[in-house]
Structure formats: C-alpha cells, structure tokens
Amino acid sequence: MPPPVDIVKVAIEWPGANAQLIEMDQKRPLSSIIREVCDGWSLSGSEQFALRYADGPQLYITEQSRGDIKNGTILRLAISPARAARQLLERIQSHSIDARLEALKELAKLSADPTFAAEFINMEGIGTLARLVESGTHFGEMLAFTLTAFLELMDHGIVSWDLISISFIKQIAGYVNQPMVDVSILQRSLAILESMVLNSHSLYHRVAQEITVGQLIGHLQVSNQEIQTYAIALINALFLKAPEDRRQEMASTLAQKHLRAIILNHVIRGNRPIKAEMAHQLYVLQVLTFNLLEERMMTKMDPNDQAQRDIIFELRRIAFDGESDPTGTEKRKATYTKDYKMLGFTNHVNPAVDFTQTPPGMLALDNMLYLAKVHQDTYIRIVLENSSREDKHECPFGRCAIELTRMLCEILQVGELPNEGCNDYHPMFFTHDRAWEEFFCVCIQLLNKTWKEMRATAEDFNKVMQVVREQITRALAMKPSSIDQLKNKLRGLNYSEILRLRQSERMSQDDFHSPPIIELRERIQPEILELIKQQRLNRLCEGSCFRKLGNRRRQEKFWFCRLSLNHKVLHYGDLDESPQGEVPFELLSDKIPVSDIKSVLTGKDCPHMKEKSALKQNKEVLELAFSVLYDPDETLNFVAPNKYEYCIWTDGLCALLGREMGSDLTRSDLDTLISMEMKLRLLDLENITIPEAPPPVPKEPSSYNFTYNYS
C-alpha cells in the first residue's frame, strides 16, 4: 500500500549527532516538527531553530516552501533565520578581522536565501553593509564578500535602490575606475552599477556622472570574459536608460573610443568561445545601436523643406552629372521630371512625397545618399542600367530603395526593445563603422540582381521583394562574419537556388496526391511517428540545461533535467554553470516518477508565466515556457533555451505520457521522413538502383540523430 501523499520520508542532520529518519507529516505545523526533532537531540528553545536543505543552495524551509520536499531528501537542523541574521550582523562589526571575514563569507552565501534576506534587511543589515563599503577600510576578500552579500540582498527586491547614498555610488564607481583592482571586486562593482541604472531613474543620472562609457572600454581589453561581459552589460544599461537626446551623444563617444573595433578584436575574435551571456549582451548592444535609426525611420520628409529637397537634387546630380543642365524653367522642370522617373521614384514631379510614409521615412533617403556618395560607381551603374532597359523590365531604384529600407528595419527589428534570453547577434555588424549603410548597399545590389534574374516587371514588384527578403534572412541565418562573407552567401542564394529550396521544402505538401500514394503515406506514418517518438525520448535521456528565471543575467544560475534510461523517472538538479556535455544522474539530486506526471502545460497556461513580471510578459519567453504537473498538485517549470529544445521536450513529454506529439518540429520531421521513405519505395518499384539514402539533415546536428533503415 503506497504511503499517504501528505507524508514524506526525510533524514535530518545535526553536527556531532546521528541523523534522524522521520516521516514528515505535511499537514502538521513546521514548528511542531522542529520541536519534535529538537527533543530527539535534547535541544531546548526549538523556536530558535529551523530546517534547511543539506544539499544545493541549502535554503531555509518555510510553511510556503515545504511542499517542495521530496521523499529521500536530506535536511539539516540549523539556527533560525532571525537568529542567524542577528549573529552575523554582530560579527560583521567585530573588531577581529578574522571573525569579520568569516562572518562576511557566510553572509555572502546566506544572502541568496529569501527567508534569511528578509530577516537581515529588517535588522537594517543593508545599511550596515553600505557603511562598511563607504568607510573604504575593507579590501580584498573582505570587500568582495561584502559586495556579494549587498548585491544578493538587493536582488530580492525588498528594498528600493533609490535609498542608496551618493557616497556609496562614488565608492563603487571608484573601484571600477581604478586601473588595478581585484577581479572579484570589479565584477561585483560593475554588477551593482548595472542594477542601479536599470532599477532607478534617479540613480541612472548619478551613475552617469561617475562612470562614462569611455572609462568602461578599458575593461573590454582584458582577457577575462566575465569582466568583459559585465562591462558591456553596464554600457548597455547606460545606453538603454539614457534620455533620447543623450543616446546619439553616447553613440558618438563610443565611435570615437573605437568601441566596435575593440569588441571585434578582443571579444568576438578573441581566443575564447563566446558564452551565452556575452552573446546576449552583444545582441542587446546590436539592438540598441540599430534603435538609434528609429528617429530617422519615423521622420516624414517635408516636401516644402528646401534642405531636404536638396538631398534629392544631389541624388539626381550624381546620377546624371554628365548631362547638360538645360536653361529655362520649363525645360529644367521637364528634364527633372524625366530624371526622377529614371531614378525610379513613384512621384516623378515631386519625389519628396515618396518619403512621407513611415517607416522608413527619411532613413531611406539617408541610405540612398550613402550609396550615391560612398559607392558612387555602383549607384550610377544601377540607375543608368535600369534607365536603358525596356520600360516593362526596369527596376525602379527609388521605390526599391524605400521598400528595401522598410524591409531591413523589419528584419533587424529597428525600434523594438531587446528580447530577454535572445542571443541572436550578427558578428558582421561589428566589422564596420557604418554597418547599417553597408548592409543596405549590399542588399540593394542583390535586389537589382534578383530583379534581372526574375525578368520582373512593375507588376512583379511584391514578388521580387518576397524573394529578396528570403535571400537576406537565409543569409543572415548563416551568421556571416563580415560584409564580404555576406556577399558570398548571397551569391549562392540566387533566384534559381531559392526556387530549388522552396521546391524542396514544399515537396512533402505538393507531391503524392493520388489515392494510392495517400494510402501508402497513411500506412507508413505510424512507423515514422514511432521513430520520431524514440528520437525524442533519447534526447530526453541525454538531458538539457535550462536557465533559472528570476536571477540576474550577470550571475546566471542553471539547472539540468534528464529522463532515466528506463523512462520511469525525471532527474533534475541545480548547476553552478552551464555544463559541457551530459550531466551524470548522481549530480541531479531531485527526481519525479513519470507515473506521478499528470499533464504538460505550455505558454500562458504555465504557473510561472502567470506571475506579474516584465520578463514573464515577454512574448519570446512565453513561447518557450512549459510546465510538468505531477502529484500532488506540484509543478516543475521550464523555459527552453530555444524553439528546438522546446519542441523536443514538449514532444518527448507527450510521448512519455502516451499523448500526441503536436509541435511544428514533429510535423516537419514527419513530412520529411515520410516523403523520403515514399520516394525510396516508389523508386524501388520502378527498379531504379539508387545509393543508400543519408539520414535527413538535422536542424541542430549536435543533438538530433535518427537511426532508421530505409530498406
């Protein structure tokens, strides 16, 4: 007979005594259980004690968190959070340096516990730590532990950052500005300043007065990637919170200090692989840099503004400079109208009207002028080449440039805030000071080339733009490392190749519609689904690493989950860092029997997505969230690192529970494998000898392996 659901069997330790093995009744008050445990060791004053986990973060157990205790958990009897906070508060003010160091070391560890943190903060502990920092008498390890404890305590959100004093800010900024400072102190100082900027509008101004982006650039030239990451994170925070009028000024300062070249040479092209957090910070910097274009993108051209119209005149002059300028107002007007038509503007009489729609607004005109001045030969060639074609096949440069600018803004999400958890930065945008403009110049040449390959007419304009969008997005997905490499990728993605790729990808939907083929497909499908199911379960057995929500990105915390080889237990546990490869079952302290799993929830139905938080409201995070519900009314909450892992895990869990796998990845795999198998069988019927077919090309080769016999 199974034990009652409210009873959990645990071991409780106490230094110098044998562990007590008890059956903990979850319906009994925790204080009553602690009193009974204390009596077992003849300890008086049970109200001065509490229970903590013996492994992992060793958090205190409260009435709210006791439901997380599982059978077989090892607990430890410890002094209560209030008593611990009081003792540590006294010890960190001790006259003995050794006693103070040990106290601060213990405090740095305990401060991550929300129960302890609340007690310590209620005793004015944060103020005490701030005064220790402001005194300037702590150095080395002692200062590092002090800053760690301060940051952990503030991270719980119990105390407002607005209460931080100016002298504290100056002291922290001083550590960042010092040429030689301990790495651990520098890390924590950068992290504290970042939190100040992100969490308080008033502190942004104070920090900005003490720290300039120019001073932070020096920290990017070190060999420690952690320091580089914290430095870029602080630059991003200052950039993000700066008023609109200050952002352009900051961008100019960063350009003068050669930030882009330093990041390219010391980070992107450094000797160390880019970690996930660094990739995220580079992505954020990329987004914030492109967002500087938003003002021009949303600025309409004033057709009556002579200075703006002069830019259009300059485009005409550069393209048709060799032709004589006719005398007489009427002749000049007629010539200009003809030239504006040859330039491809929609409004031949007053092309300024073409730039009144936002987006792309004046940004399109800026791009066209850059092409005309910096790549003048290319500009003239495109314009004159199209003006000499038959009317029905000419590629309208002006209209194309405007629409292309709008498309590039959409692809690179100009004007949108960075997505939490996204690491999608493009190295090539760090290889040129005018990366946006150069990107446009490459793409406008691509558009002109594709127009010719398609032998397009004005009626085909939208079709051409769709093909060009596909060419650009496919090339960007290959992560070219430079503008030249982007050009090479695009050369391989000509119109014929796009047609071939489209045909290949549509093959499973468009082919085999006759009744016998449909019948064959239906007969093959269960066998293929079983293959996919086994692949998904194998991937769950390998396991995956997930990032914990609610932690600072600069101090990422991870946990790992994998399915037992007999498919009966889910093992999971916390990790200090992202693992390289498989994590042994022995290191995963928690587990859930598969028989206890009741259902799998996704998206907004997940409990951790219903909490009110800026992170939780993020659409991208919402699409990667899923939860496992298991007895008795408990949940294990996930946020997958990417869409692929999301599909693998949700499909695998559904397969584990005997339910239908319904992700886009499964549908894609099913169509691909069925089509391959059907083609092989049909070819075999026609007695055509073919070589052994390779397995389907995986979307993520490192973790996507099918074993299937096509015979």
Side-chain angles (χ1 to χ4, degrees), residues 227-448:
I227 294 295
Q228 293 175 326
T229 304
Y230 291 133
I232 294 180
L234 181 51
I235 291 173
N236 287 337
L238 290 167
F239 220 133
L240 186 64
K241 294 298 181 178
E244 292 291 337
D245 56 339
R246 279 274 299 138
R247 288 181 188 173
Q248 291 291 349
E249 183 183 330
M250 283 182 64
S252 300
T253 303
L254 293 174
Q256 292 169 8
K257 298 289 184 180
H258 307 294
L259 173 69
R260 178 199 59 76
I262 290 171
I263 289 177
L264 180 66
N265 294 323
H266 292 274
V267 179
I268 296 175
R269 293 179 179 170
N271 297 324
R272 300 163 307 283
I274 301 294
K275 294 182 180 178
E277 174 56 14
M278 174 60 86
H280 173 73
Q281 294 301 339
L282 291 173
Y283 155 77
V284 172
L285 182 59
Q286 173 186 291
V287 170
L288 296 177
T289 303
F290 283 146
N291 281 356
L292 295 172
L293 303 169
E294 183 180 14
E295 182 181 357
R296 294 293 284 173
M297 180 182 77
M298 300 308 294
T299 299
K300 295 181 180 181
M301 187 173 188
D302 181 358
N304 299 317
D305 187 319
Q306 188 59 43
Q308 294 180 359
R309 296 178 66 182
D310 285 344
I311 300 176
I312 299 178
F313 293 152
E314 181 69 2
L315 290 175
R316 179 204 163 274
R317 185 196 66 75
I318 294 172
F320 308 112
D321 187 45
E323 300 181 14
S324 59
D325 200 14
T327 56
T329 304
E330 290 301 321
K331 286 186 177 180
R332 186 181 298 112
K333 186 175 181 180
T335 301
Y336 283 5
T337 299
K338 177 185 174 184
D339 289 348
Y340 291 145
K341 181 179 180 182
M342 292 170 66
L343 278 169
F345 289 112
T346 303
N347 191 315
H348 308 151
V349 177
N350 185 6
V353 175
D354 288 15
F355 300 95
T356 56
Q357 185 175 359
T358 58
M362 291 294 289
L363 184 59
L365 188 58
D366 295 342
N367 287 341
M368 294 165 71
L369 186 62
Y370 180 88
L371 174 69
K373 287 193 169 184
V374 179
H375 300 280
Q376 193 170 111
D377 291 344
T378 300
Y379 169 69
I380 293 173
R381 176 179 57 79
I382 291 174
V383 172
L384 296 185
E385 183 181 275
N386 284 289
S387 63
S388 62
R389 287 185 196 171
E390 301 176 41
D391 281 350
K392 66 177 183 177
H393 287 299
E394 65 181 6
C395 176
F397 169 74
R399 183 185 176 192
C400 287
I402 292 170
E403 186 58 34
L404 177 64
T405 301
R406 185 195 342 269
M407 179 196 297
L408 297 183
C409 289
E410 290 174 359
I411 291 173
L412 296 177
Q413 300 179 325
V414 174
E416 296 186 19
L417 289 175
N419 284 323
E420 179 71 25
C422 182
N423 302 335
D424 191 25
Y425 80 98
H426 295 279
M428 73 172 185
F429 290 129
F430 292 88
T431 63
H432 202 286
D433 288 329
R434 302 295 294 273
W436 166 264
E437 291 85 351
E438 288 295 318
F439 184 45
F440 169 82
C441 293
V442 171
C443 293
I444 193 69
Q445 293 177 73
L446 169 71
L447 198 161
N448 187 60

Side-chain angles (χ1 to χ4, degrees), residues 106-119:
E106 188 176 345
L107 177 63
K109 184 178 179 181
L110 272 175
S111 294
D113 189 305
T115 309
F116 170 84
E119 296 290 349

Side-chain angles (χ1 to χ4, degrees), residues 94 97 129 160 239 291 307 335 337 460 481 524 595 605:
S94 168
I97 294 178
L129 292 178
S160 170
F239 220 133
N291 281 356
T335 301
T337 299
D460 300 317
S481 59
I524 292 172
S595 59
D605 295 328

Side-chain angles (χ1 to χ4, degrees), residues 17-208:
N18 293 327
Q20 294 187 37
L21 303 178
I22 70 167
E23 292 187 351
M24 181 184 289
D25 186 349
Q26 294 287 45
K27 292 182 178 180
R28 287 179 59 193
L30 202 54
S31 58
S32 172
I33 296 172
I34 294 172
R35 187 183 309 114
E36 184 178 295
V37 171
C38 288
D39 290 343
W41 284 313
S42 302
L43 298 173
S44 60
S46 63
E47 66 278 358
Q48 297 294 315
F49 292 92
L51 292 176
R52 292 172 62 184
Y53 288 99
D55 301 317
Q58 300 181 7
L59 299 178
Y60 277 103
I61 295 166
T62 64
E63 290 289 355
Q64 291 72 34
S65 65
R66 63 186 296 180
D68 296 331
I69 301 173
K70 308 293 187 301
N71 277 317
T73 301
I74 301 175
L75 306 179
R76 180 175 298 155
L77 187 67
I79 60 173
S80 68
R83 186 178 170 190
R86 193 178 307 108
Q87 289 181 358
L88 285 174
L89 196 56
E90 293 171 357
R91 288 165 58 197
I92 63 175
Q93 300 174 80
S94 168
H95 295 296
S96 168
I97 294 178
D98 291 339
R100 200 184 310 167
L101 177 61
E102 285 302 313
L104 287 168
K105 184 177 181 179
E106 188 176 345
L107 177 63
K109 184 178 179 181
L110 272 175
S111 294
D113 189 305
T115 309
F116 170 84
E119 296 290 349
F120 190 80
I121 290 170
N122 287 338
M123 297 175 187
E124 304 296 329
I126 285 183
T128 302
L129 292 178
R131 287 190 292 274
L132 291 176
V133 174
E134 292 168 11
S135 69
T137 57
H138 284 192
F139 304 97
E141 269 193 316
M142 191 174 293
L143 179 58
F145 288 136
T146 304
L147 296 179
T148 300
F150 178 87
L151 193 55
E152 290 284 1
L153 291 166
M154 291 300 296
D155 192 50
H156 292 291
I158 300 172
V159 177
S160 170
W161 282 91
D162 289 319
L163 300 177
I164 303 302
S165 68
I166 296 177
S167 59
F168 181 85
I169 297 172
K170 287 181 178 291
Q171 192 69 39
I172 297 296
Y175 300 136
V176 173
N177 293 331
Q178 284 179 19
M180 296 293 291
V181 67
D182 184 81
V183 169
S184 57
I185 294 173
L186 180 57
Q187 284 181 352
R188 288 152 181 78
S189 297
L190 288 167
I192 289 171
L193 291 173
E194 182 199 357
S195 288
M196 288 179 183
V197 172
L198 293 176
N199 290 289
S200 170
H201 179 71
S202 61
L203 288 190
Y204 158 76
H205 294 285
R206 293 175 183 174
V207 172

Side-chain angles (χ1 to χ4, degrees), residues 1 123 150 440 522 580 599 608 643:
M1 181 177 177
M123 297 175 187
F150 178 87
F440 169 82
E522 291 174 351
Q580 301 298 319
S599 64
H608 58 313
K643 193 67 176 177

Side-chain angles (χ1 to χ4, degrees), residues 8 114 136 201 209 302 325 335 381 395 458 508 511 528 620 622 651 662 665-666:
V8 287
H201 179 71
Q209 290 172 359
D302 181 358
D325 200 14
T335 301
R381 176 179 57 79
C395 176
S508 57
D511 293 349
I528 300 296
E620 187 165 315
L622 199 65
D651 280 346
L665 182 62
T666 289

